[in-house]
Amino acid sequence: MPVRDLVRTTLNLIRFQPRCEHLLLLVFALGTVLPLGVDGSGPSAENHESNVTHVKKPFPVLSFDYRHVRLPFEIALWILLASLMKLACNKATLALSLASPCSHRDTRIPSSFDTGSMLYQIPSSFNTINPVYGVMGSTACNKATLALSLASPCSHRDTRIPSSFDTGSMLYQIPSSFNTINPVYGVMGSTGFHLIPRLSNIVPESCLLIVVGLLVGGLIRMVGEDPPVLGSDVFFLCLLPPIILDAGYFLPIRAFSENTGTILMFAVIGTLWNSFFMGGMLYAVCQIPGTGLENVGLLPSLLFGSIISAVDPVAVLAVFEEIHINELLHILVFGESLLNDAVTVVLYHLFEEYAGVGSVTFMDVLLGIICFFVVSLGGVFMGILYGLIAAFTSRFTSHTRVIEPLFVFLYSYMAYLSAEVFHLSGIMALIACGAVTRPYVEANISHKSHTTIKYFLKMWSSVSETLIFVFLGVSTVAGPHQWNWTFVGCTLLFCLVSRVLGVIGLTSIINKFRIVKLTTKDQFIIAYGGLRGAIAFSLGFLLDKHHFPMRDMFLTAIITVIFFTVFVQGMTIRPLVELLAVKKKQETKRSINEEIHTQFLDHLLTGIEDVCGHYGHHHWKDKLNRFNKKYIKKCLIAGERSKEPQLIAFYHKMEMKQAIELVESGGIPKIPSAVSTVSMQNIKPKRALPQLSKGKEEEIRNILRSNLQRTRQRLRSYNRHTLVADPYEDAWNQMLIRRQKARQLEKRMTNYLTVPANHPDSPTMTRSRLSSDPRGYSLKLNSGNVPAIVVDPASSPSPESVKLLDESSKPGEEDEGIVMRAKLPDSSRTDENVFSPGKDSPKVQCLVRCLSDPGPPPEEDKDDEYQSFLN
Amino acid sequence: MGAFHSRHVENYIHDLAEKTGFSVEQVEILHRRFKQLSRDEDTLQPEHLYSIPDLEFNPIRTQIVAAFFDKRNFDKYSPQGTVQEIGFEQFLTVMSHFRPLKLRMTEEQREQLRLEKLQFLFNMYDLDNDGKISLEEYRQVVYELLSKNPKIGNESASIADAAMLEAARTCMGQMEPDQVYEGITFQDFLKVCYSLFVSQASLGFSNEDLFVKMNGFNP
């Protein structure tokens, strides 16, 4: 009986450590309350009983609908509780081991492991969870790996490397109602079309995925089975949240908040206008006798209008990310697609209810308007609530780094589900949660966990996106279609007309208030970028066939509109953007200068506002900031990091990033802590060097990275609980920063790979380096102590670096040292052909690589590299 | 205000409005504020500004106050130096640097105004008016920015150094080994901040009533 064990362990722990008992008890209490609902009905007990009563609710839209989110909600909750428990246990045992000095340090890992692993077993004692994970996981994974092993050898090197990881984990989420073959095809498609670079230049990814879906659907048809349809539950509970969370977490807050007015205008009024225009016009068309549409009433057509009028974030993201449009337009269209969810939810539920009842009074309209505020603000509130809890939790995770990323995902997913339970806007909840969590969590968690979060989000969202489009294609083949020329044609026409009219009308109002006007080109792109997508399809799919006998026709029309927007508009938007010469996105890597100036400007504007006594935008921003700094940060961020000003935090982050880049590019710590504050006045940067092209640089970096990682792996023993042993991490970070400083003076380190940056004989260089800082070599020796440094000689054939390292090499680093010495003749050869880069260096490169890294067979990569160098 | 206004005062306000680009109402609002700040005196002194309670938490308070008493901000061609007190006209002139771009301006006028605004900003950094933001000056600014923080230590200096280095790299490109980067000139300043002000320019709504906005740095 795991529960009894749990109680025993809990009690034991409490007896040992009274301080953590509150947290444990809380978790435990939560855990005992919730599972009671689970054992009765398995996941198969679907909500098919349609006992919808046709009585008007006192308050429309809102309801309590726990059943359809129960399974994912409970899974999420269980995982969350388990990890919270683990957190608490870890804290407790840690405190224990600290309290009793005689106890071994090692004891804490086994004991926490005990409770942890026991906790993992709890969920599986419930039969609801077990089959889904067990069966689905194993079968789907098998298929996926099979497909990947087929697809990956021929796929590009850089495009989808993590996808082998993707598919495996993502496929867990697909319930068994799907034919397991399909996701496999989807994955094949997504890796496969990267083979054809020219095609993907013209056609956006989303189109290709839909085509793949269509083909797969056709195949299944030919085999004689029924192709699966993209179910609404799967879509809303599994596929959509990762995409939205990704969007919310990486939302460019500043751009978003500065354009909030415009975005809200488009999202709320624009969507309202679209749906009412569409609904009204369609109703008018349906009244024309002879079209066979007389049975479509006003409310159903309005409902249809509200479904079809919302711009879809998934489709917009898929297309806009590829065309690299400037930030303003991107945030306008994308922000609109996110925020119009509240409007869509309200309109959809309102019209659905009223269509069931059949009459609308003035009161209903009023309530509908109130509903809108409740739904949107409620969603945001839910998101903020969970976001704050997540931030608060992350405060305590410093001892269990491994599960840190999990909290971000779990809490935001629960925010989404909780919002969905009450029919609030789940999308807005997710966005709010992501945006609130990020600053605090980022300050709390370790750098690695942050990277993990980043990658996981990207990975999940890209896989979900792929699956959504593929299933859209498959569903097209599967669905029962009812084609009506008039209806479909009119829908398409009105869609375009209403969008164009709406955008033109709204911009003419908005432009009165904007400093930077939206030009005609911008308006065109905004109107043209209004793509419809899978959300509309799923909403249409949700309609009840009994109340809406024209559902099939609706679905057909929705699919047509989606296909039109995704294919025609999605494919032509890129050439149009180029034709119109719309401003493209610049490479905006924020520099420290900009950060300083932005802060300066912010304070300046606030100050001027104070002087002239007018309170504006900046005043409130300032107040909020101060409040945040004073109270919230103190509660949510652990330790002294909460006091770190933004500028310093930014500086540290940048330092870290550059350090990593430097290590990845194989920099050598030969220049010491360079930005010595004294010698700044006479900075003497390096002479101009022939620059490598971006592509080659990237290639080199890739090679180095793979080398680096393998070498690093050899150095560290694997530990499940801590990713890296702690003393190492500190030393490693120290060295990273030192190297980053070295980079400041050294400029582009990567150059020396093909063209040695400093010829050892160059007198000016030597002089300048020696005179600029004489402590150079001593520091070098210092950093030699760090074990990770041995990575470098293996990956850099620069003559100078080798020489320097040779001087300082220690007997301690033996195996690496041998490699390095063995390489010396090679590097001297590079020395000779300084001025013919690209011809011989790849050979050297490969040779070095083989020598330094016994892992991969050299033949397979050689051609690749060779080619990319010669090209 | 009508009853108390003599024709003379009205003319005066009108002139000021024309000169600074504010509307008459805005001038009147600012005049009231000026009187309030200076406690009904004709001139404003630094202490008056320092006593504004909201300004107390502003990390760059000294810089802001100094900008009001900097001669360079009154007139383009005036020499450097500071004054001890300013009249309403100077106050208005300094304030006029913060008014938003008018909607019906021509592109050249806008460009002109933007340059003036940037020059104003530049002057706030460039304390000794030698046309360059030297490292010392930059460090001072960063120090002030971080001054509300109890424990900064050497951090501010190294941030300023890194920023300076970055500026040198973006502006000078490749330098000769014995070349020395003395400071950020106004041209460099424009270059460094270019992308920043592009994004600033994409600010959304500007409140017409609130004329204190410095946005509109559209290149």
Side-chain angles (χ1 to χ4, degrees):
Chain A
M1 260 294 152
V3 178
R4 204 182 301 152
D5 286 354
L6 178 72
V7 174
R8 200 175 300 147
T9 332
T10 320
L11 287 179
N12 278 345
L13 282 169
I14 288 168
R15 211 174 300 145
F16 280 134
Q17 186 41 266
R19 241 196 305 170
C20 66
E21 80 184 57
H22 301 296
L23 189 50
L24 276 174
L25 274 181
L26 181 80
V27 171
F28 186 66
L30 269 173
T32 43
V33 172
L34 266 139
L36 298 176
V38 184
D39 17 342
S41 57
S44 52
E46 285 286 304
N47 45 352
H48 274 310
E49 348 123 48
S50 56
N51 49 355
V52 186
T53 49
H54 294 281
V55 184
K56 219 179 253 184
K57 281 188 255 170
F59 201 72
V61 178
L62 301 184
S63 67
F64 185 79
D65 187 6
Y66 181 57
R67 192 185 291 145
H68 79 279
V69 298
R70 193 175 69 195
L71 179 66
F73 193 85
E74 274 165 11
I75 294 177
L77 197 65
W78 270 114
I79 301 175
L80 183 67
L81 288 180
S83 31
L84 276 178
M85 201 72 146
K86 186 179 161 81
L87 195 67
C89 294
N90 219 330
K91 269 217 153 224
T93 45
L94 183 74
L96 195 77
S97 70
L98 286 178
S100 58
C102 54
S103 75
H104 261 264
R105 274 227 142 200
D106 298 1
T107 49
R108 88 188 146 118
I109 290 182
S111 61
S112 74
F113 188 78
D114 256 353
T115 44
S117 65
M118 198 212 51
L119 278 169
Y120 292 140
Q121 307 213 336
I122 296 172
S124 59
S125 68
F126 294 102
N127 47 3
T128 50
I129 297 156
N130 215 354
V132 178
Y133 270 109
V135 178
M136 269 313 298
S138 58
T139 54
C141 247
N142 269 338
K143 298 259 182 184
T145 43
L146 185 75
L148 268 166
S149 61
L150 292 175
S152 57
C154 45
S155 71
H156 257 254
R157 286 182 114 222
D158 51 341
T159 45
R160 286 273 161 144
I161 295 209
S163 70
S164 63
F165 204 14
D166 287 357
T167 46
S169 58
M170 194 42 217
L171 284 170
Y172 284 116
Q173 296 202 359
I174 302 158
S176 45
S177 65
F178 280 110
N179 200 332
T180 43
I181 300 166
N182 293 319
V184 178
Y185 280 112
V187 170
M188 282 188 79
S190 85
T191 43
F193 73 79
H194 277 279
L195 293 174
I196 326 163
R198 229 178 305 138
L199 189 61
S200 67
N201 270 343
I202 306 164
V203 188
E205 196 175 319
S206 43
C207 300
L208 285 171
L209 291 175
I210 290 183
V211 171
V212 169
L214 287 174
L215 291 179
V216 171
L219 270 178
I220 296 175
R221 257 285 141 82
M222 279 198 329
V223 170
E225 285 188 44
D226 267 351
V229 179
L230 177 59
S232 299
D233 270 356
V234 181
F235 177 73
F236 282 114
L237 299 182
C238 296
L239 297 179
L240 188 60
I243 299 178
I244 303 297
L245 178 63
D246 179 49
Y249 196 77
F250 295 107
L251 193 72
I253 301 271
R254 206 187 169 93
F256 188 79
S257 67
E258 277 162 4
N259 292 301
T260 320
T262 315
I263 292 171
L264 275 179
M265 195 90 164
F266 277 124
V268 178
I269 303 185
T271 311
L272 278 178
W273 150 260
N274 274 354
S275 37
F276 280 100
F277 180 83
M278 291 276 305
M281 292 303 276
L282 277 177
Y283 179 64
V285 168
C286 292
Q287 293 313 299
I288 301 170
T291 51
L293 294 166
E294 285 83 2
N295 59 344
V296 181
L298 178 61
L299 281 172
S301 51
L302 280 176
L303 175 62
F304 179 72
S306 71
I307 291 175
I308 199 73
S309 61
V311 178
D312 185 81
V314 182
V316 166
L317 265 184
V319 169
F320 271 60
E321 293 226 316
E322 282 186 23
I323 60 174
H324 299 296
I325 201 137
N326 68 44
E327 201 178 28
L328 173 67
L329 284 181
H330 186 270
I331 198 71
L332 283 186
V333 180
F334 180 56
E336 179 198 346
S337 71
L338 288 178
L339 295 193
N340 66 17
D341 178 62
V343 182
T344 315
V345 167
V346 171
L347 285 181
Y348 177 80
H349 286 292
L350 272 185
F351 289 137
E352 198 188 15
E353 276 168 33
Y354 295 159
V357 177
S359 67
V360 182
T361 61
F362 176 71
M363 202 52 199
D364 291 335
V365 177
L366 205 65
L367 279 176
I369 295 171
I370 298 173
C371 265
F372 166 70
F373 288 103
V374 174
V375 165
S376 52
L377 296 180
V380 171
F381 174 75
M382 198 70 92
I384 291 178
L385 189 72
Y386 275 98
L388 290 181
I389 299 175
F392 187 68
T393 313
S394 73
R395 203 189 146 154
F396 303 105
T397 52
S398 53
H399 297 296
T400 44
R401 290 275 187 225
V402 200
I403 53 171
E404 265 172 353
L406 201 58
F407 286 114
V408 173
F409 305 134
L410 284 177
Y411 277 117
S412 29
Y413 191 47
M414 302 240 319
Y416 177 80
L417 292 178
S418 321
E420 287 286 306
V421 166
F422 298 104
H423 282 190
L424 301 174
S425 166
I427 291 186
M428 289 183 81
L430 257 186
I431 300 265
C433 186
V436 167
T437 320
R438 189 180 180 193
Y440 305 112
V441 167
E442 243 174 43
N444 275 333
I445 65 177
S446 74
H447 188 78
K448 281 191 183 111
S449 305
H450 181 59
T451 316
T452 313
I453 290 179
K454 231 164 40 185
Y455 272 94
F456 258 84
L457 278 180
K458 290 286 169 216
M459 171 188 101
W460 263 330
S461 62
S462 77
V463 171
S464 305
E465 194 185 283
T466 310
L467 286 177
I468 285 174
F469 282 115
V470 169
F471 277 122
L472 214 53
V474 176
S475 314
T476 310
V477 179
H481 291 291
Q482 191 185 338
W483 185 267
N484 183 315
W485 276 104
T486 329
F487 191 76
V488 172
C490 288
T491 309
L492 203 55
L493 182 70
F494 292 142
C495 249
L496 297 177
V497 170
S498 73
R499 177 83 188 161
V500 169
L501 286 182
V503 168
I504 290 176
L506 283 177
T507 20
S508 68
I509 301 171
I510 291 167
N511 263 353
K512 285 205 170 67
F513 300 98
R514 281 186 71 93
I515 292 284
V516 181
K517 308 283 177 228
L518 296 176
T519 60
T520 325
K521 282 181 205 166
D522 296 341
Q523 291 177 34
F524 178 77
I525 295 295
I526 292 172
Y528 206 73
L531 306 175
R532 314 306 206 268
I535 291 185
F537 177 80
S538 291
L539 282 178
F541 194 76
L542 265 182
L543 290 179
D544 194 346
K545 190 110 193 211
H546 296 289
H547 300 150
F548 302 97
M550 61 303 267
R551 190 189 87 157
D552 290 343
M553 190 178 69
F554 281 0
L555 275 180
T556 311
I558 291 171
I559 286 183
T560 317
V561 171
I562 293 174
F563 275 36
F564 181 82
T565 53
V566 170
F567 275 90
V568 178
Q569 297 187 0
M571 264 153 76
T572 49
I573 196 164
R574 188 204 294 262
L576 276 172
V577 163
E578 269 154 26
L579 195 72
L580 292 173
V582 181
K583 248 185 275 162
K584 289 245 184 169
K585 188 172 164 186
Q586 292 122 329
E587 273 308 310
T588 46
K589 197 177 143 202
R590 220 173 157 136
S591 68
I592 188 142
N593 270 300
E594 284 174 358
E595 183 68 21
I596 290 174
H597 294 316
T598 316
Q599 292 232 342
F600 192 82
L601 207 58
D602 276 354
H603 287 304
L604 176 63
L605 292 186
T606 324
I608 294 296
E609 272 177 9
D610 291 337
V611 167
C612 79
H614 267 259
Y615 294 153
H617 183 66
H618 276 279
H619 183 77
W620 294 114
K621 210 161 100 183
D622 196 47
K623 280 248 153 110
L624 196 69
N625 249 337
R626 217 171 283 157
F627 180 74
N628 182 17
K629 212 176 280 167
K630 224 171 179 177
Y631 303 106
I632 304 181
K633 270 195 174 173
K634 271 195 190 130
C635 300
L636 296 185
I637 297 179
E640 70 279 1
R641 301 251 337 239
S642 64
K643 296 190 197 81
E644 200 171 63
Q646 201 186 340
L647 192 60
I648 291 187
F650 176 82
Y651 180 63
H652 284 161
K653 221 193 284 175
M654 209 179 69
E655 238 180 5
M656 196 70 193
K657 208 159 74 185
Q658 285 187 353
I660 286 168
E661 268 173 24
L662 183 73
V663 170
E664 282 178 349
S665 64
I668 280 86
K670 81 184 117 177
I671 301 290
S673 72
V675 197
S676 64
T677 44
V678 197
S679 61
M680 270 297 294
Q681 278 292 16
N682 34 19
I683 306 157
K684 290 173 182 162
K686 293 276 160 207
R687 187 175 289 160
L689 295 164
Q691 291 274 329
L692 285 177
S693 75
K694 271 265 154 62
K696 281 182 190 171
E697 220 170 81
E698 194 53 42
E699 183 69 24
I700 292 169
R701 206 168 287 163
N702 276 342
I703 296 168
L704 287 171
R705 198 177 298 146
S706 49
N707 260 340
L708 203 76
Q709 276 157 2
R710 276 185 213 113
T711 331
R712 215 189 291 166
Q713 270 165 12
R714 240 183 289 153
L715 289 169
R716 303 224 169 92
S717 60
Y718 175 73
N719 184 334
R720 205 177 68 91
H721 283 268
T722 48
L723 286 172
V724 178
D726 281 340
Y728 269 148
E729 186 160 48
D730 280 357
W732 175 246
N733 285 347
Q734 282 296 316
M735 200 205 48
L736 288 182
I737 285 168
R738 226 174 279 144
R739 286 181 173 200
Q740 181 265 328
K741 287 187 174 158
R743 185 193 179 92
Q744 298 268 321
L745 280 194
E746 268 298 299
K747 307 182 83 185
R748 289 246 151 243
M749 272 298 191
T750 42
N751 286 345
Y752 65 75
L753 277 175
T754 45
V755 184
N758 316 308
H759 202 280
D761 301 334
S762 155
T764 34
M765 286 301 149
T766 330
R767 182 164 28 89
S768 81
R769 188 171 50 255
L770 286 175
S771 63
S772 72
D773 209 315
R775 293 173 301 155
Y777 294 101
S778 67
L779 232 151
K780 168 80 216 43
L781 284 171
N782 236 350
S783 53
N785 289 332
V786 183
I789 202 171
V790 294
V791 165
D792 289 314
S795 55
S796 60
S798 157
E800 190 184 54
S801 67
V802 173
K803 198 181 76 192
L804 288 178
L805 280 161
D806 199 16
E807 282 168 18
S808 66
S809 68
K810 293 218 175 84
E813 357 172 297
E814 269 168 10
D815 60 335
E816 269 15 81
I818 291 164
V819 171
M820 186 192 67
R821 261 171 240 135
K823 206 174 36 154
L824 257 171
D826 292 330
S827 54
S828 62
R829 206 183 304 149
T830 3
D831 228 16
E832 286 156 23
N833 42 40
V834 176
F835 296 110
S836 58
K839 278 241 162 175
D840 286 351
S841 39
K843 276 183 203 155
V844 176
Q845 186 85 37
C846 291
L847 204 54
V848 167
R849 202 176 163 207
C850 312
L851 283 171
S852 69
D853 192 352
E859 291 82 16
E860 71 173 50
D861 283 321
K862 201 161 181 174
D863 289 342
D864 237 341
E865 282 157 23
Y866 216 27
Q867 269 177 358
S868 71
F869 268 91
L870 291 175
N871 283 340
Chain B
M1 301 195 99
F4 295 100
H5 269 273
S6 66
R7 179 152 292 267
H8 174 71
V9 172
E10 244 171 63
N11 274 342
Y12 176 61
I13 286 179
H14 224 85
D15 284 350
L16 281 181
E18 210 149 272
K19 216 161 112 188
T20 54
F22 285 124
S23 73
V24 176
E25 297 99 297
Q26 287 171 337
V27 174
E28 278 169 2
I29 294 170
L30 278 180
H31 188 67
R32 246 176 287 153
R33 179 67 177 170
F34 180 81
K35 284 289 178 195
Q36 190 191 345
L37 286 178
S38 66
R39 303 196 181 82
D40 266 339
E41 299 287 324
D42 281 338
T43 55
L44 196 66
Q45 283 159 7
E47 293 78 51
H48 293 137
L49 290 182
Y50 277 121
S51 62
I52 299 173
D54 284 333
L55 212 54
E56 200 181 316
F57 299 103
N58 205 316
I60 54 167
R61 178 165 72 146
T62 44
Q63 247 105 359
I64 292 174
V65 173
F68 276 93
F69 299 91
D70 192 332
K71 276 187 194 164
R72 284 174 294 172
N73 292 333
F74 306 146
D75 185 1
K76 226 180 281 179
Y77 307 106
S78 74
Q80 77 173 107
T82 54
V83 290
Q84 289 310 306
E85 50 182 31
I86 52 168
F88 179 59
E89 193 177 334
Q90 280 97 0
F91 180 73
L92 209 59
T93 320
V94 174
M95 274 299 188
S96 74
H97 288 107
F98 291 92
R99 68 181 196 277
L101 300 180
K102 282 273 162 35
L103 299 182
R104 44 180 183 282
M105 278 180 190
T106 63
E107 203 42 55
E108 291 86 58
Q109 280 173 318
R110 283 176 191 226
E111 194 57 47
Q112 184 61 32
L113 203 56
R114 272 177 213 131
L115 279 182
E116 274 172 29
K117 283 164 184 245
L118 281 171
Q119 183 71 54
F120 178 84
L121 198 61
F122 183 76
N123 285 347
M124 287 187 77
Y125 288 101
D126 179 22
L127 299 174
D128 59 0
N129 194 25
D130 62 349
K132 286 191 183 88
I133 305 173
S134 68
L135 183 69
E136 286 309 315
E137 285 161 349
Y138 214 178
R139 275 189 196 167
Q140 179 64 25
V141 168
V142 176
Y143 180 77
E144 296 274 347
L145 270 179
L146 297 172
S147 61
K148 284 287 165 237
N149 189 49
K151 45 171 196 75
I152 21 174
N154 254 347
E155 202 89 48
S156 74
S158 61
I159 289 179
D161 293 350
M164 200 68 174
L165 198 61
E166 187 188 272
R169 207 160 39 206
T170 39
C171 301
M172 304 302 284
Q174 316 294 344
M175 288 166 76
E176 292 302 311
D178 48 351
Q179 204 174 353
V180 174
Y181 190 68
E182 281 167 350
I184 303 171
T185 63
F186 186 57
Q187 292 308 317
D188 294 347
F189 185 68
L190 289 182
K191 224 185 274 177
V192 168
C193 304
Y194 180 83
S195 54
L196 170 68
F197 294 131
V198 174
S199 68
Q200 285 276 310
S202 57
L203 297 180
F205 286 88
S206 86
N207 196 337
E208 278 296 295
D209 173 56
L210 183 93
F211 43 85
V212 192
K213 279 230 159 184
M214 198 155 163
N215 56 15
F217 286 103
N218 203 354

